Short mmCIF file of all heavy atoms in Angstrom, two decimals:
data_model
loop_
_atom_site.label_atom_id
_atom_site.label_comp_id
_atom_site.label_asym_id
_atom_site.label_seq_id
_atom_site.Cartn_x
_atom_site.Cartn_y
_atom_site.Cartn_z
N MET A 274 109.12 78.94 108.10
CA MET A 274 108.39 78.85 106.85
C MET A 274 108.41 80.21 106.16
O MET A 274 108.26 81.24 106.79
CB MET A 274 106.96 78.40 107.13
CG MET A 274 106.14 78.16 105.88
SD MET A 274 104.51 77.54 106.26
CE MET A 274 104.83 75.81 106.10
N ASP A 275 108.61 80.18 104.88
CA ASP A 275 108.69 81.40 104.10
C ASP A 275 107.32 82.08 104.05
O ASP A 275 106.29 81.43 103.87
CB ASP A 275 109.16 81.05 102.68
CG ASP A 275 109.43 82.26 101.83
OD1 ASP A 275 109.59 83.35 102.41
OD2 ASP A 275 109.48 82.13 100.61
N ALA A 276 107.30 83.39 104.23
CA ALA A 276 106.04 84.14 104.25
C ALA A 276 105.32 84.04 102.91
O ALA A 276 104.09 83.97 102.87
CB ALA A 276 106.30 85.59 104.60
N LYS A 277 106.07 84.01 101.82
CA LYS A 277 105.44 83.92 100.51
C LYS A 277 104.75 82.57 100.35
O LYS A 277 103.64 82.49 99.85
CB LYS A 277 106.48 84.13 99.40
CG LYS A 277 105.87 84.17 98.02
CD LYS A 277 106.89 84.54 96.98
CE LYS A 277 106.21 84.68 95.62
NZ LYS A 277 107.12 85.13 94.61
N THR A 278 105.41 81.52 100.80
CA THR A 278 104.82 80.18 100.72
C THR A 278 103.57 80.12 101.57
O THR A 278 102.55 79.57 101.15
CB THR A 278 105.83 79.13 101.19
OG1 THR A 278 107.01 79.24 100.41
CG2 THR A 278 105.28 77.73 101.07
N LEU A 279 103.62 80.70 102.75
CA LEU A 279 102.47 80.72 103.64
C LEU A 279 101.31 81.47 102.98
O LEU A 279 100.16 81.00 103.03
CB LEU A 279 102.83 81.36 104.97
CG LEU A 279 101.73 81.41 106.02
CD1 LEU A 279 101.28 79.99 106.38
CD2 LEU A 279 102.21 82.13 107.25
N ALA A 280 101.57 82.60 102.37
CA ALA A 280 100.52 83.37 101.72
C ALA A 280 99.90 82.58 100.57
O ALA A 280 98.68 82.59 100.39
CB ALA A 280 101.08 84.69 101.20
N GLU A 281 100.74 81.88 99.82
CA GLU A 281 100.22 81.06 98.71
C GLU A 281 99.34 79.94 99.25
O GLU A 281 98.29 79.65 98.69
CB GLU A 281 101.37 80.50 97.90
CG GLU A 281 102.12 81.54 97.09
CD GLU A 281 103.39 80.99 96.45
OE1 GLU A 281 103.71 79.80 96.66
OE2 GLU A 281 104.06 81.76 95.75
N GLN A 282 99.77 79.32 100.34
CA GLN A 282 98.98 78.25 100.94
C GLN A 282 97.64 78.76 101.44
O GLN A 282 96.61 78.12 101.25
CB GLN A 282 99.76 77.60 102.08
CG GLN A 282 100.94 76.78 101.64
CD GLN A 282 101.74 76.26 102.80
OE1 GLN A 282 101.56 76.68 103.95
NE2 GLN A 282 102.65 75.34 102.52
N ILE A 283 97.65 79.91 102.06
CA ILE A 283 96.41 80.50 102.56
C ILE A 283 95.47 80.83 101.41
O ILE A 283 94.26 80.56 101.49
CB ILE A 283 96.71 81.75 103.42
CG1 ILE A 283 97.38 81.32 104.72
CG2 ILE A 283 95.44 82.53 103.72
CD1 ILE A 283 97.90 82.45 105.56
N ARG A 284 96.02 81.38 100.34
CA ARG A 284 95.20 81.71 99.17
C ARG A 284 94.56 80.43 98.60
O ARG A 284 93.37 80.42 98.28
CB ARG A 284 96.02 82.42 98.10
CG ARG A 284 95.18 82.90 96.93
CD ARG A 284 95.97 83.61 95.85
NE ARG A 284 96.62 84.79 96.35
CZ ARG A 284 97.95 84.93 96.50
NH1 ARG A 284 98.77 83.96 96.18
NH2 ARG A 284 98.47 86.05 96.96
N GLU A 285 95.35 79.37 98.49
CA GLU A 285 94.82 78.10 97.98
C GLU A 285 93.73 77.55 98.91
O GLU A 285 92.72 77.03 98.45
CB GLU A 285 95.94 77.09 97.82
CG GLU A 285 96.89 77.42 96.68
CD GLU A 285 98.10 76.51 96.64
OE1 GLU A 285 98.17 75.55 97.44
OE2 GLU A 285 98.99 76.76 95.80
N LEU A 286 93.93 77.66 100.22
CA LEU A 286 92.93 77.20 101.17
C LEU A 286 91.63 77.98 101.05
O LEU A 286 90.54 77.40 101.11
CB LEU A 286 93.46 77.28 102.60
CG LEU A 286 94.52 76.25 102.99
CD1 LEU A 286 95.10 76.58 104.36
CD2 LEU A 286 93.93 74.86 102.97
N VAL A 287 91.74 79.29 100.87
CA VAL A 287 90.54 80.12 100.71
C VAL A 287 89.81 79.73 99.43
O VAL A 287 88.58 79.60 99.43
CB VAL A 287 90.91 81.62 100.72
CG1 VAL A 287 89.74 82.47 100.28
CG2 VAL A 287 91.38 82.04 102.10
N GLU A 288 90.56 79.54 98.35
CA GLU A 288 89.94 79.12 97.10
C GLU A 288 89.23 77.78 97.28
O GLU A 288 88.10 77.60 96.81
CB GLU A 288 90.99 79.02 95.99
CG GLU A 288 91.49 80.35 95.50
CD GLU A 288 92.54 80.21 94.40
OE1 GLU A 288 92.38 79.32 93.54
OE2 GLU A 288 93.51 80.97 94.43
N GLN A 289 89.88 76.85 97.96
CA GLN A 289 89.29 75.53 98.17
C GLN A 289 88.04 75.63 99.04
O GLN A 289 87.04 74.96 98.79
CB GLN A 289 90.31 74.57 98.80
CG GLN A 289 89.83 73.15 98.87
CD GLN A 289 89.52 72.57 97.50
OE1 GLN A 289 90.28 72.75 96.56
NE2 GLN A 289 88.39 71.90 97.38
N LEU A 290 88.07 76.47 100.08
CA LEU A 290 86.90 76.67 100.93
C LEU A 290 85.72 77.21 100.13
O LEU A 290 84.58 76.77 100.32
CB LEU A 290 87.23 77.62 102.08
CG LEU A 290 88.00 77.04 103.25
CD1 LEU A 290 88.42 78.16 104.21
CD2 LEU A 290 87.19 75.99 103.98
N CYS A 291 86.00 78.13 99.24
CA CYS A 291 84.94 78.70 98.41
C CYS A 291 84.35 77.63 97.49
O CYS A 291 83.13 77.54 97.33
CB CYS A 291 85.46 79.88 97.59
SG CYS A 291 85.83 81.33 98.59
N LEU A 292 85.22 76.83 96.90
CA LEU A 292 84.75 75.75 96.02
C LEU A 292 83.93 74.73 96.80
O LEU A 292 82.88 74.28 96.34
CB LEU A 292 85.92 75.07 95.33
CG LEU A 292 86.66 75.88 94.27
CD1 LEU A 292 87.89 75.11 93.78
CD2 LEU A 292 85.73 76.21 93.10
N ASP A 293 84.39 74.38 98.00
CA ASP A 293 83.67 73.42 98.84
C ASP A 293 82.31 73.97 99.26
O ASP A 293 81.35 73.21 99.38
CB ASP A 293 84.49 73.06 100.08
CG ASP A 293 85.73 72.24 99.75
OD1 ASP A 293 85.82 71.74 98.61
OD2 ASP A 293 86.61 72.13 100.63
N ALA A 294 82.25 75.26 99.51
CA ALA A 294 80.99 75.88 99.93
C ALA A 294 80.05 76.09 98.75
O ALA A 294 78.86 76.36 98.94
CB ALA A 294 81.26 77.21 100.62
N GLY A 295 80.58 76.01 97.54
CA GLY A 295 79.73 76.13 96.36
C GLY A 295 79.53 77.56 95.88
O GLY A 295 78.55 77.84 95.19
N TYR A 296 80.40 78.45 96.22
CA TYR A 296 80.30 79.81 95.69
C TYR A 296 81.68 80.35 95.42
O TYR A 296 82.68 79.84 95.91
CB TYR A 296 79.53 80.73 96.65
CG TYR A 296 80.25 81.04 97.94
CD1 TYR A 296 81.04 82.18 98.06
CD2 TYR A 296 80.13 80.22 99.04
CE1 TYR A 296 81.71 82.46 99.24
CE2 TYR A 296 80.79 80.49 100.22
CZ TYR A 296 81.57 81.61 100.31
OH TYR A 296 82.23 81.90 101.48
N ALA A 297 81.73 81.40 94.64
CA ALA A 297 82.99 82.05 94.30
C ALA A 297 83.07 83.39 95.02
O ALA A 297 82.05 84.06 95.20
CB ALA A 297 83.10 82.26 92.79
N ALA A 298 84.26 83.75 95.43
CA ALA A 298 84.47 85.03 96.11
C ALA A 298 85.68 85.73 95.50
O ALA A 298 86.71 85.85 96.14
CB ALA A 298 84.64 84.82 97.60
N PRO A 299 85.55 86.17 94.24
CA PRO A 299 86.71 86.82 93.61
C PRO A 299 87.13 88.11 94.32
O PRO A 299 88.31 88.46 94.33
CB PRO A 299 86.23 87.10 92.18
CG PRO A 299 84.75 87.07 92.26
CD PRO A 299 84.40 86.13 93.38
N GLU A 300 86.18 88.79 94.95
CA GLU A 300 86.53 90.02 95.66
C GLU A 300 87.40 89.71 96.88
O GLU A 300 88.26 90.51 97.24
CB GLU A 300 85.28 90.80 96.07
CG GLU A 300 84.39 90.12 97.09
CD GLU A 300 83.41 89.11 96.50
OE1 GLU A 300 83.34 88.97 95.29
OE2 GLU A 300 82.72 88.47 97.31
N LEU A 301 87.21 88.56 97.49
CA LEU A 301 88.04 88.17 98.62
C LEU A 301 89.47 87.92 98.17
O LEU A 301 90.41 88.39 98.81
CB LEU A 301 87.47 86.92 99.30
CG LEU A 301 88.25 86.38 100.49
CD1 LEU A 301 88.33 87.43 101.60
CD2 LEU A 301 87.61 85.11 101.00
N LEU A 302 89.64 87.23 97.08
CA LEU A 302 90.98 86.96 96.56
C LEU A 302 91.65 88.25 96.09
O LEU A 302 92.85 88.44 96.29
CB LEU A 302 90.92 85.94 95.43
CG LEU A 302 90.42 84.55 95.87
CD1 LEU A 302 90.28 83.64 94.66
CD2 LEU A 302 91.34 83.94 96.90
N ALA A 303 90.88 89.15 95.50
CA ALA A 303 91.42 90.45 95.09
C ALA A 303 91.85 91.25 96.32
O ALA A 303 92.89 91.92 96.31
CB ALA A 303 90.39 91.22 94.28
N TYR A 304 91.07 91.17 97.38
CA TYR A 304 91.40 91.87 98.62
C TYR A 304 92.69 91.31 99.23
O TYR A 304 93.55 92.07 99.69
CB TYR A 304 90.24 91.73 99.61
CG TYR A 304 90.47 92.43 100.92
CD1 TYR A 304 90.48 93.83 101.00
CD2 TYR A 304 90.68 91.71 102.09
CE1 TYR A 304 90.70 94.47 102.20
CE2 TYR A 304 90.89 92.34 103.29
CZ TYR A 304 90.91 93.73 103.34
OH TYR A 304 91.12 94.36 104.54
N ILE A 305 92.83 90.00 99.21
CA ILE A 305 94.05 89.38 99.73
C ILE A 305 95.26 89.83 98.92
O ILE A 305 96.31 90.16 99.48
CB ILE A 305 93.92 87.84 99.72
CG1 ILE A 305 92.90 87.39 100.76
CG2 ILE A 305 95.28 87.18 99.99
CD1 ILE A 305 92.56 85.92 100.69
N GLU A 306 95.11 89.88 97.60
CA GLU A 306 96.20 90.34 96.74
C GLU A 306 96.57 91.79 97.03
O GLU A 306 97.75 92.14 97.10
CB GLU A 306 95.82 90.18 95.27
CG GLU A 306 96.88 90.61 94.30
CD GLU A 306 98.15 89.78 94.40
OE1 GLU A 306 98.06 88.58 94.65
OE2 GLU A 306 99.25 90.37 94.23
N LYS A 307 95.57 92.63 97.25
CA LYS A 307 95.83 94.04 97.57
C LYS A 307 96.56 94.17 98.91
O LYS A 307 97.49 94.96 99.05
CB LYS A 307 94.54 94.84 97.62
CG LYS A 307 94.76 96.33 97.89
CD LYS A 307 93.47 97.08 97.93
CE LYS A 307 93.64 98.56 98.19
NZ LYS A 307 94.77 98.98 98.97
N LEU A 308 96.16 93.36 99.89
CA LEU A 308 96.84 93.39 101.19
C LEU A 308 98.30 92.96 101.05
O LEU A 308 99.18 93.56 101.67
CB LEU A 308 96.12 92.48 102.18
CG LEU A 308 94.76 92.95 102.69
CD1 LEU A 308 94.15 91.88 103.59
CD2 LEU A 308 94.88 94.27 103.43
N GLU A 309 98.54 91.95 100.23
CA GLU A 309 99.93 91.51 100.03
C GLU A 309 100.75 92.59 99.34
O GLU A 309 101.90 92.83 99.70
CB GLU A 309 99.95 90.23 99.19
CG GLU A 309 99.44 89.02 99.94
CD GLU A 309 99.34 87.79 99.06
OE1 GLU A 309 99.33 87.92 97.82
OE2 GLU A 309 99.27 86.69 99.63
N GLN A 310 100.14 93.27 98.37
CA GLN A 310 100.84 94.35 97.67
C GLN A 310 101.13 95.50 98.64
O GLN A 310 102.24 96.04 98.64
CB GLN A 310 100.01 94.84 96.49
CG GLN A 310 100.68 95.93 95.69
CD GLN A 310 99.82 96.42 94.54
OE1 GLN A 310 98.67 96.02 94.40
NE2 GLN A 310 100.37 97.29 93.73
N ASP A 311 100.16 95.87 99.45
CA ASP A 311 100.36 96.93 100.44
C ASP A 311 101.47 96.56 101.42
O ASP A 311 102.28 97.39 101.81
CB ASP A 311 99.07 97.22 101.21
CG ASP A 311 98.01 97.88 100.35
OD1 ASP A 311 98.33 98.34 99.24
OD2 ASP A 311 96.83 97.91 100.80
N ASN A 312 101.48 95.28 101.82
CA ASN A 312 102.50 94.80 102.74
C ASN A 312 103.89 94.92 102.11
O ASN A 312 104.84 95.37 102.78
CB ASN A 312 102.21 93.35 103.13
CG ASN A 312 103.12 92.85 104.22
OD1 ASN A 312 103.66 93.63 105.00
ND2 ASN A 312 103.30 91.55 104.28
N ARG A 313 104.02 94.54 100.84
CA ARG A 313 105.32 94.66 100.16
C ARG A 313 105.75 96.12 100.10
O ARG A 313 106.93 96.44 100.35
CB ARG A 313 105.24 94.07 98.75
CG ARG A 313 105.24 92.56 98.71
CD ARG A 313 105.38 92.04 97.28
NE ARG A 313 104.27 92.41 96.42
CZ ARG A 313 103.17 91.69 96.26
NH1 ARG A 313 103.02 90.54 96.88
NH2 ARG A 313 102.21 92.10 95.44
N GLN A 314 104.82 97.02 99.77
CA GLN A 314 105.16 98.44 99.68
C GLN A 314 105.59 98.99 101.04
O GLN A 314 106.55 99.76 101.13
CB GLN A 314 103.97 99.24 99.15
CG GLN A 314 103.71 99.00 97.69
CD GLN A 314 102.45 99.71 97.20
OE1 GLN A 314 101.64 100.19 98.00
NE2 GLN A 314 102.26 99.74 95.89
N MET A 315 104.89 98.59 102.09
CA MET A 315 105.26 99.07 103.43
C MET A 315 106.62 98.53 103.86
O MET A 315 107.39 99.25 104.49
CB MET A 315 104.18 98.70 104.45
CG MET A 315 102.95 99.57 104.35
SD MET A 315 101.81 99.35 105.72
CE MET A 315 101.02 97.83 105.26
N ASN A 316 106.91 97.28 103.51
CA ASN A 316 108.23 96.73 103.84
C ASN A 316 109.33 97.47 103.11
O ASN A 316 110.38 97.75 103.69
CB ASN A 316 108.28 95.23 103.50
CG ASN A 316 107.55 94.39 104.51
OD1 ASN A 316 107.38 94.79 105.67
ND2 ASN A 316 107.10 93.22 104.09
N GLN A 317 109.10 97.82 101.84
CA GLN A 317 110.09 98.59 101.09
C GLN A 317 110.28 99.97 101.71
O GLN A 317 111.41 100.46 101.85
CB GLN A 317 109.68 98.72 99.63
CG GLN A 317 109.78 97.42 98.86
CD GLN A 317 109.20 97.54 97.46
OE1 GLN A 317 108.60 98.55 97.10
NE2 GLN A 317 109.38 96.49 96.67
N GLU A 318 109.18 100.61 102.08
CA GLU A 318 109.25 101.94 102.69
C GLU A 318 109.97 101.87 104.04
O GLU A 318 110.78 102.74 104.37
CB GLU A 318 107.84 102.50 102.86
CG GLU A 318 107.81 103.92 103.41
CD GLU A 318 108.36 104.96 102.45
OE1 GLU A 318 108.43 104.69 101.23
OE2 GLU A 318 108.74 106.04 102.93
N LEU A 319 109.70 100.82 104.80
CA LEU A 319 110.36 100.66 106.09
C LEU A 319 111.86 100.49 105.93
O LEU A 319 112.65 101.11 106.65
CB LEU A 319 109.77 99.45 106.82
CG LEU A 319 110.34 99.15 108.20
CD1 LEU A 319 110.08 100.31 109.16
CD2 LEU A 319 109.74 97.87 108.73
N LYS A 320 112.28 99.68 104.96
CA LYS A 320 113.71 99.51 104.69
C LYS A 320 114.35 100.84 104.31
O LYS A 320 115.44 101.17 104.78
CB LYS A 320 113.93 98.49 103.58
CG LYS A 320 113.69 97.07 103.99
CD LYS A 320 113.89 96.14 102.82
CE LYS A 320 113.51 94.71 103.18
NZ LYS A 320 113.64 93.80 102.04
N LYS A 321 113.66 101.61 103.48
CA LYS A 321 114.17 102.91 103.04
C LYS A 321 114.31 103.86 104.24
O LYS A 321 115.33 104.53 104.39
CB LYS A 321 113.23 103.50 102.00
CG LYS A 321 113.65 104.85 101.49
CD LYS A 321 112.64 105.41 100.51
CE LYS A 321 112.96 106.84 100.17
NZ LYS A 321 111.90 107.47 99.40
N LEU A 322 113.29 103.89 105.09
CA LEU A 322 113.34 104.78 106.24
C LEU A 322 114.43 104.37 107.23
O LEU A 322 115.11 105.22 107.81
CB LEU A 322 111.98 104.80 106.95
CG LEU A 322 110.86 105.50 106.17
CD1 LEU A 322 109.52 105.29 106.88
CD2 LEU A 322 111.15 106.97 105.99
N LYS A 323 114.61 103.06 107.42
CA LYS A 323 115.68 102.59 108.31
C LYS A 323 117.05 102.99 107.76
O LYS A 323 117.92 103.43 108.51
CB LYS A 323 115.61 101.07 108.47
CG LYS A 323 114.52 100.61 109.40
CD LYS A 323 114.55 99.10 109.54
CE LYS A 323 113.49 98.59 110.47
NZ LYS A 323 113.51 97.13 110.59
N LEU A 324 117.24 102.82 106.46
CA LEU A 324 118.50 103.19 105.84
C LEU A 324 118.74 104.69 105.97
O LEU A 324 119.85 105.13 106.29
CB LEU A 324 118.52 102.77 104.37
CG LEU A 324 119.81 103.03 103.60
CD1 LEU A 324 120.97 102.29 104.24
CD2 LEU A 324 119.64 102.59 102.15
N ASP A 325 117.72 105.50 105.72
CA ASP A 325 117.83 106.95 105.88
C ASP A 325 118.18 107.32 107.32
O ASP A 325 118.99 108.22 107.55
CB ASP A 325 116.55 107.65 105.46
CG ASP A 325 116.32 107.62 103.96
OD1 ASP A 325 117.27 107.27 103.20
OD2 ASP A 325 115.19 107.91 103.52
N ALA A 326 117.57 106.64 108.28
CA ALA A 326 117.84 106.93 109.69
C ALA A 326 119.29 106.60 110.04
O ALA A 326 119.94 107.36 110.77
CB ALA A 326 116.88 106.14 110.58
N VAL A 327 119.79 105.49 109.52
CA VAL A 327 121.18 105.12 109.79
C VAL A 327 122.12 106.14 109.16
O VAL A 327 123.10 106.57 109.79
CB VAL A 327 121.47 103.70 109.26
CG1 VAL A 327 122.96 103.41 109.23
CG2 VAL A 327 120.74 102.68 110.08
N ARG A 328 121.83 106.54 107.94
CA ARG A 328 122.68 107.54 107.27
C ARG A 328 122.65 108.86 108.01
O ARG A 328 123.68 109.51 108.19
CB ARG A 328 122.21 107.74 105.83
CG ARG A 328 122.54 106.60 104.92
CD ARG A 328 122.06 106.86 103.53
NE ARG A 328 122.37 105.74 102.65
CZ ARG A 328 121.79 105.52 101.50
NH1 ARG A 328 120.86 106.34 101.05
NH2 ARG A 328 122.12 104.48 100.77
N ARG A 329 121.47 109.26 108.45
CA ARG A 329 121.33 110.53 109.16
C ARG A 329 122.08 110.48 110.49
O ARG A 329 122.74 111.43 110.88
CB ARG A 329 119.84 110.82 109.40
CG ARG A 329 119.52 112.26 109.59
CD ARG A 329 118.02 112.55 109.66
NE ARG A 329 117.25 111.90 108.59
CZ ARG A 329 116.29 110.99 108.80
NH1 ARG A 329 115.97 110.63 110.01
NH2 ARG A 329 115.65 110.46 107.78
N ALA A 330 121.99 109.35 111.20
CA ALA A 330 122.66 109.22 112.49
C ALA A 330 124.17 109.25 112.31
O ALA A 330 124.87 109.89 113.10
CB ALA A 330 122.23 107.93 113.17
N SER A 331 124.67 108.56 111.29
CA SER A 331 126.13 108.55 111.09
C SER A 331 126.62 109.92 110.64
O SER A 331 127.71 110.34 111.02
CB SER A 331 126.52 107.47 110.08
OG SER A 331 126.00 107.76 108.81
N ALA A 332 125.84 110.62 109.85
CA ALA A 332 126.25 111.95 109.41
C ALA A 332 126.27 112.93 110.58
O ALA A 332 127.20 113.72 110.72
CB ALA A 332 125.31 112.46 108.32
N SER A 333 125.27 112.86 111.43
CA SER A 333 125.24 113.78 112.57
C SER A 333 126.33 113.43 113.58
O SER A 333 126.89 114.31 114.22
CB SER A 333 123.87 113.75 113.24
OG SER A 333 123.61 112.49 113.81
N ALA A 334 126.65 112.16 113.72
CA ALA A 334 127.73 111.76 114.63
C ALA A 334 129.06 112.29 114.11
O ALA A 334 129.90 112.74 114.89
CB ALA A 334 127.79 110.24 114.76
N GLY A 335 129.27 112.26 112.80
CA GLY A 335 130.49 112.80 112.21
C GLY A 335 130.61 114.29 112.42
O GLY A 335 131.68 114.80 112.72
N MET A 336 129.53 115.02 112.29
CA MET A 336 129.56 116.46 112.51
C MET A 336 129.84 116.77 113.97
O MET A 336 130.60 117.68 114.27
CB MET A 336 128.23 117.08 112.07
CG MET A 336 128.08 117.15 110.57
SD MET A 336 126.63 118.09 110.07
CE MET A 336 125.35 116.90 110.39
N ASN A 337 129.28 116.01 114.86
CA ASN A 337 129.51 116.27 116.28
C ASN A 337 130.97 116.05 116.65
O ASN A 337 131.54 116.82 117.42
CB ASN A 337 128.61 115.37 117.13
CG ASN A 337 127.16 115.82 117.08
OD1 ASN A 337 126.87 116.95 116.75
ND2 ASN A 337 126.25 114.91 117.39
N SER A 338 131.58 115.00 116.12
CA SER A 338 132.97 114.74 116.47
C SER A 338 133.89 115.83 115.90
O SER A 338 134.85 116.23 116.54
CB SER A 338 133.41 113.36 115.98
OG SER A 338 133.38 113.30 114.57
N ARG A 339 133.58 116.32 114.71
CA ARG A 339 134.40 117.40 114.15
C ARG A 339 134.24 118.68 114.97
O ARG A 339 135.20 119.41 115.20
CB ARG A 339 134.00 117.66 112.70
CG ARG A 339 134.58 116.60 111.75
CD ARG A 339 134.21 116.89 110.34
NE ARG A 339 132.94 116.20 110.13
CZ ARG A 339 132.18 116.31 109.06
NH1 ARG A 339 132.53 117.12 108.09
NH2 ARG A 339 131.06 115.66 108.95
N LEU A 340 133.03 118.92 115.42
CA LEU A 340 132.80 120.09 116.27
C LEU A 340 133.55 119.95 117.59
O LEU A 340 134.18 120.91 118.05
CB LEU A 340 131.31 120.27 116.52
CG LEU A 340 130.89 121.43 117.43
CD1 LEU A 340 131.35 122.75 116.82
CD2 LEU A 340 129.40 121.41 117.66
N LYS A 341 133.51 118.75 118.16
CA LYS A 341 134.25 118.53 119.41
C LYS A 341 135.74 118.71 119.21
O LYS A 341 136.42 119.30 120.06
CB LYS A 341 133.97 117.13 119.94
CG LYS A 341 132.56 116.95 120.47
CD LYS A 341 132.32 115.51 120.90
CE LYS A 341 130.89 115.29 121.31
NZ LYS A 341 130.61 113.89 121.64
N ASP A 342 136.28 118.22 118.09
CA ASP A 342 137.70 118.40 117.81
C ASP A 342 138.05 119.87 117.67
O ASP A 342 139.08 120.34 118.16
CB ASP A 342 138.09 117.66 116.52
CG ASP A 342 138.04 116.15 116.69
OD1 ASP A 342 138.04 115.68 117.83
OD2 ASP A 342 138.00 115.45 115.64
N ALA A 343 137.19 120.63 117.02
CA ALA A 343 137.44 122.06 116.84
C ALA A 343 137.40 122.78 118.19
O ALA A 343 138.20 123.68 118.45
CB ALA A 343 136.42 122.65 115.89
N LEU A 344 136.52 122.41 119.05
CA LEU A 344 136.42 123.04 120.36
C LEU A 344 137.61 122.71 121.25
O LEU A 344 138.03 123.53 122.07
CB LEU A 344 135.11 122.63 121.06
CG LEU A 344 133.84 123.20 120.43
CD1 LEU A 344 132.61 122.61 121.10
CD2 LEU A 344 133.81 124.72 120.56
N ARG A 345 138.16 121.50 121.11
CA ARG A 345 139.33 121.12 121.89
C ARG A 345 140.54 121.96 121.52
O ARG A 345 141.40 122.24 122.34
CB ARG A 345 139.65 119.63 121.65
CG ARG A 345 138.79 118.73 122.47
CD ARG A 345 139.31 117.29 122.37
NE ARG A 345 138.13 116.43 122.42
CZ ARG A 345 137.81 115.53 121.52
NH1 ARG A 345 138.58 115.30 120.48
NH2 ARG A 345 136.73 114.82 121.64
N GLU A 346 140.64 122.34 120.24
CA GLU A 346 141.79 123.14 119.81
C GLU A 346 141.62 124.54 120.29
O GLU A 346 142.21 125.25 120.84
CB GLU A 346 141.86 123.15 118.29
CG GLU A 346 142.18 121.81 117.70
CD GLU A 346 142.16 121.83 116.18
OE1 GLU A 346 142.05 122.90 115.58
OE2 GLU A 346 142.26 120.76 115.60
#
């Protein structure tokens, strides 16, 4: 199941629970939205850090092999 679909379903369930209970909780829905936004930002940051780590590892591996080649000569 898609995470976005699940989040939308949960939001709808919370809204329905509030309506059934007879009160509104706009701060709860705002909090859920903030958590989703924070989650998206962290996922983007994680992808960026993983890409940087891969680039850094490949760059250092290239330098090491050139150094090894120079030492062999």
Side-chain angles (χ1 to χ4, degrees):
M274 185 176 266
D275 187 18
K277 185 173 184 176
T278 304
L279 182 61
E281 290 171 358
Q282 289 175 348
I283 290 172
R284 186 180 299 111
E285 290 172 5
L286 287 172
V287 168
E288 288 180 40
Q289 188 60 45
L290 281 172
C291 290
L292 290 174
D293 291 346
Y296 69 93
E300 66 277 355
L301 179 60
L302 296 175
Y304 180 71
I305 291 172
E306 180 63 36
K307 183 180 180 331
L308 289 176
E309 289 174 342
Q310 182 181 6
D311 290 347
N312 188 24
R313 284 189 297 270
Q314 288 175 348
M315 284 191 282
N316 284 335
Q317 290 173 353
E318 184 68 20
L319 181 62
K320 286 179 186 177
K321 179 183 171 189
L322 290 172
K323 283 181 179 179
L324 183 60
D325 289 347
V327 167
R328 287 180 181 162
R329 204 173 313 119
S331 65
S333 65
M336 286 188 283
N337 287 339
S338 64
R339 283 181 270 172
L340 178 60
K341 289 176 186 176
D342 290 343
L344 290 174
R345 279 189 215 124
E346 293 177 8

